[in-house]
Amino acid sequence: MALVDKVGSAMDTGPGGVVLTSVDALVNWSRGQSLWAFPMGTACCAMELIAASFSKFDFDRLGTFPRPDPRHTDVMILAGTITEKMKPVVKRLYEQMPDPKWVVAMGNCTISGGIFYYDTYSVVRGADEFLPVDVYIAGCPPRPESLQDGIVQLRELVREESISPGRRHERRMLLPRPGDGEHR
Ligand code: SF4
């Protein structure tokens, strides 16, 4: 999206607020209609994530296709318990995704550690300890329809963003700093 970024910079320094709004609307519409998913199933919630692609639920009609390659995808869908041992690998895969990118946390374990929140030394208590989660989908496990609803919500977030430099970055400033949460 380097070209899009260049257009954003040019518009930002120019007088055309209305033009930028229109370009934003067009870019965000096209981004939102084709959020290709990187499925990151780490435990039982992954079954629901897989089921979402079956013909019964027809995930494809939202323009969201699973791709087993971080370099071709826009949204990481985390589904399942994340352990401390998995964390660096999940983070590395996220970093391999091109910008702009988003994260959906599916299921109680991904959101907060779920049933492993207490008395478990090995489970991460929420993906947002180390990733910028955009949409949370509660449940143990959430149904495929909930995931579809989550993607629709993500589209709304994408619609509010701007190609003007730095705007999305502001939201990410709320993330833990590097090193936070490494040792609990
Ligand atoms: S939220 Fe429930 S279904 Fe999902 S990974 Fe945790 S225990 Fe399994």
Side-chain angles (χ1 to χ4, degrees), residues 21-104:
T21 306
S22 304
V23 173
D24 265 345
L26 179 64
V27 169
N28 291 340
W29 175 82
S30 57
R31 280 177 179 167
Q33 298 301 111
S34 60
L35 291 164
W36 286 22
F38 180 52
M40 192 72 233
T42 53
C44 21
C45 270
M47 297 301 115
E48 305 297 323
L49 171 58
I50 293 165
S53 294
F54 291 175
S55 55
K56 182 176 177 185
F57 302 104
D58 193 17
F59 208 34
D60 297 6
R61 74 192 146 90
L62 297 177
T64 300
F65 303 94
R67 297 275 303 200
D69 177 1
R71 292 184 174 85
H72 289 158
T73 46
D74 311 292
V75 51
M76 175 179 265
I77 302 179
L78 288 159
T81 322
I82 302 170
T83 62
E84 291 289 344
K85 201 170 181 180
M86 290 175 190
K87 190 164 86 172
V89 179
V90 174
K91 192 170 181 198
R92 190 181 316 152
L93 289 167
Y94 172 78
E95 285 166 355
Q96 287 177 359
M97 292 169 65
D99 277 322
K101 53 192 170 185
W102 298 272
V103 179
V104 171

Side-chain angles (χ1 to χ4, degrees), residues 42 78 80-91 105 107-131 133 176 180-184:
T42 53
L78 288 159
T81 322
I82 302 170
T83 62
E84 291 289 344
K85 201 170 181 180
M86 290 175 190
K87 190 164 86 172
V89 179
V90 174
K91 192 170 181 198
N108 294 354
C109 286
T110 313
I111 293 170
S112 66
I115 55 173
F116 306 105
Y117 184 84
Y118 294 104
D119 302 327
T120 309
Y121 69 92
S122 58
V123 172
V124 176
R125 290 173 178 162
D128 52 11
E129 275 192 6
F130 67 103
L131 289 181
V133 177
D180 284 359
E182 293 291 330
H183 305 287
R184 286 183 287 113

